[in-house]
Amino acid sequence: MVLLLSDPRVGLVPVHDGGDPVIPFPAVIGHSVLGAGSGVVHIRRGLAARLVEAAMRLPAPLSLKILEGHRSPGAQQAIIARYEGELREAYPALDRSELARLSSRFVAPLGVAPHVAGAAVDLTLVDRDGVELDLGTPVDATPEQSDGACYFAAENVSEDARARRTLLAEALGAAGLVNYPTEWWHWSYGDRYWAVMTGAPHALYGPVEQAVAA
């Protein structure tokens, strides 16, 4: 049974935010030739350290490409509104609670959103030239668009895509990150969902209004 971010257990996790800063971080890290010229994302410093560790666990010439880190509350709410609109159109009989549950497969409720805490990244694997590898679906494919192939454990992906997802999970999991199982690309550290999945007594990071360059 997949634990969704809309589950009340996630919202009940206390947050003890010690002020770990949100910092700029290279969008490509590992063995790729692209390096720092590929832009930056903004994430918590503790998450950044773990991504460095994960990238070093990848076999050459693979690298991590991070497509998104911190997301403002306004941006999060806009994604929620857009996706809920799509769900209402597809399933007009949905009640409010079921709409919230289905929506949380793709976008977290604002109060528990890992991206808003600077605690999550959306990422993929790239080769030595920075070309994104096939992991079964595009990043940000919804369950409806992908026929559920966006789920990490989906069976309707190729053997190569499955092997790459496994490789990604081994590197990131060993560095302390957790995956949101409805999105193979979404990994987090220190947020409420991470606390539930790891048994931590509290989250390390709460919402941050905006990224702060340092």
Side-chain angles (χ1 to χ4, degrees):
M1 183 72 175
V2 172
L3 180 73
L4 296 176
L5 278 154
S6 58
D7 191 295
R9 288 173 287 181
V10 180
L12 290 174
V13 173
V15 178
H16 296 174
D17 194 325
D20 194 17
V22 176
I23 63 170
F25 187 74
V28 176
I29 182 169
H31 306 285
S32 171
V33 297
L34 293 184
S38 303
V40 299
V41 295
H42 289 84
I43 55 176
R44 296 280 190 156
R45 183 170 56 192
L47 172 58
R50 284 159 179 79
L51 287 170
V52 171
E53 178 184 343
M56 294 303 100
R57 292 178 179 273
L58 293 173
L62 299 184
S63 296
L64 297 175
K65 180 178 181 179
I66 305 168
L67 296 129
E68 190 164 15
H70 176 265
R71 185 184 295 154
S72 71
Q76 184 75 11
Q77 191 58 54
I79 298 171
I80 293 170
R82 183 174 69 245
Y83 187 49
E84 286 190 349
E86 294 175 8
L87 290 172
R88 286 192 189 97
E89 185 174 344
Y91 311 108
L94 284 179
D95 62 26
R96 182 61 208 175
S97 63
E98 183 62 5
L99 178 65
R101 187 188 72 81
L102 290 181
S103 176
S104 74
R105 298 169 307 161
F106 178 68
V107 56
L110 189 57
V112 298
H115 281 289
V116 176
V121 286
D122 294 338
L123 49 69
T124 189
L125 293 171
V126 294
D127 65 15
R128 71 172 70 249
D129 297 315
V131 176
E132 294 183 21
L133 302 182
D134 176 20
L135 274 81
T137 75
V139 170
D140 280 346
T142 69
E144 290 74 28
Q145 291 167 342
S146 66
D147 192 26
C150 59
Y151 280 55
F152 180 87
E155 297 182 357
N156 55 335
V157 298
S158 70
E159 290 186 11
D160 285 346
R162 164 57 46 208
R164 290 170 185 144
R165 290 185 184 189
T166 299
L167 183 65
L168 190 68
E170 288 173 347
L172 293 164
L177 280 75
V178 300
N179 171 245
Y180 191 47
T182 62
E183 301 176 335
W184 62 260
W185 57 84
H186 178 104
W187 292 81
S188 67
Y189 168 80
D191 61 293
R192 282 170 156 160
Y193 192 84
W194 165 88
V196 172
M197 299 307 293
T198 62
H202 57 82
L204 305 176
Y205 306 138
V208 179
E209 184 64 30
Q210 62 184 18
V212 179

